[in-house]
Amino acid sequence: INRRDVRGTTTMTIDPFDAKDFDDAISFKDLGGDKYEIGVHIADVSHFVTPNTELDRESEKRGLSVYLVDRTIPMLPEILSNDLCSLNPNEDKFTFSAIFTMTGDGKVLDEWFGRTVIHSDRRFTYEDAQEVIDGKQDGPYQLELRKLNEIAKKLEKAKFGAGAIAFETEEVKFVLDEKGKPIKVYKKSRLETHKLVEEFMLLANRAVAKFVFMSQNKGLLKGKQSVYRIHSKPDSDRIQNLAVFLKALGFDLKNKDGVTTSRDINNLLKEVEGTPNEELIKTATIRSMAKAVYSTKNIGHFGLAFTYYTHFTSPIR
């Protein structure tokens, strides 16, 4: 297989401090003239797990990896998930990539998709990368991280401007003792670096989904199917019930016979910020939404306000 060689481009992974495997990386190159080459690189699991092999059949039986508080039960053997397919630093790795030429305002000028070989220069935790961006930690990747962060903020602003729902729910993490007994629970901090990674993953997922959809429409993928991640508009009965519940708490959700928009939901979420019932209302609103599902028929993603979306950045899926 011919692969584009991007080993000479500055590349890094940004993951939780306790991550055991790294399945996505971001590369950055300043092209001059306010143009930047930004790559989203995903572990090419398909290079190792080929159809109709024993590995493929066993993986299909398991269906997924299971993530528990103190361990992971992987779908694939650990030598693959934690080694061969993991984008460990200072090692050449096979990846599938979406590479964009972008402006500092987040506008995509050009895009390329295909198989690549990368070489990650640095494994960052979210906290380490945040310290570099904030200037608390000097490092050779400060310029790259700060520019990536600037562009990510522009992408986030455009996403919410298009009507994406701003659900910010709190996640918790458990601390275990040496015997595996929970001794502490704390809320996970939501850093700029979490959003940085999220925005570039969303960009890649959206661009790949659009490329595949357009290719299918042009008849270039005859006999082949692609899977989209879709999210339909919320059920009108659920929205009417939510509106009644919110009314009892002193809030109004704008709707007409149970039909509402993502902007109306965002306005509600802004209104409840800082109130005693904020988390209750957020939970009730999330539960009133339709569930996102996989489908070969693309209807877009209501919650993200994307016309096209898939899970390109999840190599196991």
Side-chain angles (χ1 to χ4, degrees), residues 23-275:
D23 56 15
D24 53 69
I26 297 173
S27 65
F28 178 89
K29 183 190 290 184
D30 189 339
L31 301 176
D34 194 42
K35 290 182 184 177
Y36 307 92
E37 181 191 281
I38 299 174
V40 176
H41 310 282
I42 309 303
D44 189 359
V45 179
S46 64
H47 177 82
F48 299 95
V49 185
T50 52
N52 301 316
T53 58
E54 199 58 46
L55 191 56
D56 181 38
R57 285 188 286 272
E58 181 62 27
S59 301
E60 190 175 4
K61 279 185 202 171
R62 297 179 181 221
L64 61 137
S65 297
V66 180
Y67 296 91
L68 303 173
V69 174
D70 63 339
R71 78 199 73 174
T72 300
I73 304 169
M75 184 177 83
L76 296 173
E78 209 165 295
I79 193 170
L80 286 179
S81 59
N82 287 20
D83 186 10
L84 294 175
C85 295
S86 183
L87 308 182
N88 304 323
N90 306 313
E91 295 177 14
D92 293 351
K93 294 291 180 179
F94 290 156
T95 44
F96 214 109
S97 305
I99 299 177
F100 304 95
T101 302
M102 304 180 71
T103 66
D105 282 335
K107 183 182 177 184
V108 175
L109 304 175
D110 193 23
E111 58 189 26
W112 179 91
F113 310 107
R115 286 187 168 89
T116 50
V117 56
I118 70 163
H119 187 95
S120 176
D121 299 290
R122 176 77 179 264
R123 178 273 204 260
F124 277 106
T125 66
Y126 287 114
E127 293 78 13
D128 287 342
Q130 189 64 55
E131 287 194 356
V132 171
I133 289 171
D134 294 341
K136 294 175 184 175
Q137 187 184 120
D138 291 328
Y141 306 105
Q142 193 171 66
L143 290 175
E144 290 89 341
L145 282 167
R146 284 184 172 177
K147 181 54 70 174
L148 284 168
N149 194 41
E150 280 177 30
I151 296 173
K153 286 180 178 179
K154 300 285 173 59
L155 293 172
E156 183 184 46
K157 185 178 178 181
K159 180 183 70 179
F160 289 133
I165 300 175
F167 279 126
E168 286 282 350
T169 53
E170 292 182 330
E171 283 189 68
V172 297
K173 193 103 177 163
F174 292 90
V175 177
L176 310 178
D177 66 14
E178 64 278 0
K179 294 180 181 177
K181 182 181 177 182
I183 54 172
K184 184 181 176 184
V185 61
Y186 63 93
K187 291 177 183 176
K188 287 173 69 174
S189 299
R190 178 94 162 134
L191 304 174
E192 285 184 341
T193 45
H194 287 100
K195 296 177 183 180
L196 183 162
V197 173
E198 186 177 288
E199 290 303 325
F200 285 111
M201 296 303 136
L202 289 174
L203 172 66
N205 285 321
R206 183 178 50 177
V208 168
K210 183 178 180 180
F211 174 80
V212 171
F213 184 85
M214 295 301 181
S215 298
Q216 286 179 319
N217 273 9
K218 292 173 184 173
L220 301 176
L221 299 175
K222 285 182 180 176
K224 296 179 181 178
Q225 281 287 5
S226 184
V227 176
Y228 300 92
R229 184 69 167 169
I230 63 169
H231 186 222
S232 59
K233 293 177 181 178
D235 178 76
S236 58
D237 287 343
R238 284 189 167 198
I239 292 299
Q240 285 179 312
N241 289 338
L242 176 65
V244 170
F245 170 72
L246 292 169
K247 194 82 172 174
L249 294 174
F251 297 97
D252 281 314
L253 172 60
K254 189 178 175 184
N255 75 99
K256 186 175 182 182
D257 298 325
V259 177
T260 190
T261 68
S262 55
R263 283 188 172 85
D264 292 329
I265 294 168
N266 272 338
N267 289 336
L268 167 73
L269 296 174
K270 282 179 187 173
E271 195 182 344
V272 304
E273 270 181 24
T275 66

Side-chain angles (χ1 to χ4, degrees), residues 253-316:
L253 172 60
K254 189 178 175 184
N255 75 99
K256 186 175 182 182
D257 298 325
V259 177
T260 190
T261 68
S262 55
R263 283 188 172 85
D264 292 329
I265 294 168
N266 272 338
N267 289 336
L268 167 73
L269 296 174
K270 282 179 187 173
E271 195 182 344
V272 304
E273 270 181 24
T275 66
N277 291 318
E278 180 181 357
E279 290 306 316
L280 173 66
I281 290 170
K282 280 184 176 179
T283 301
T285 306
I286 290 171
R287 289 181 177 177
S288 300
M289 298 293 104
K291 287 185 178 179
V293 296
Y294 293 106
S295 175
T296 54
K297 183 181 178 183
N298 179 49
I299 62 164
H301 197 291
F302 176 79
L304 290 170
F306 287 168
T307 307
Y308 313 96
Y309 188 60
T310 189
H311 268 163
F312 164 78
T313 56
S314 299
I316 299 298

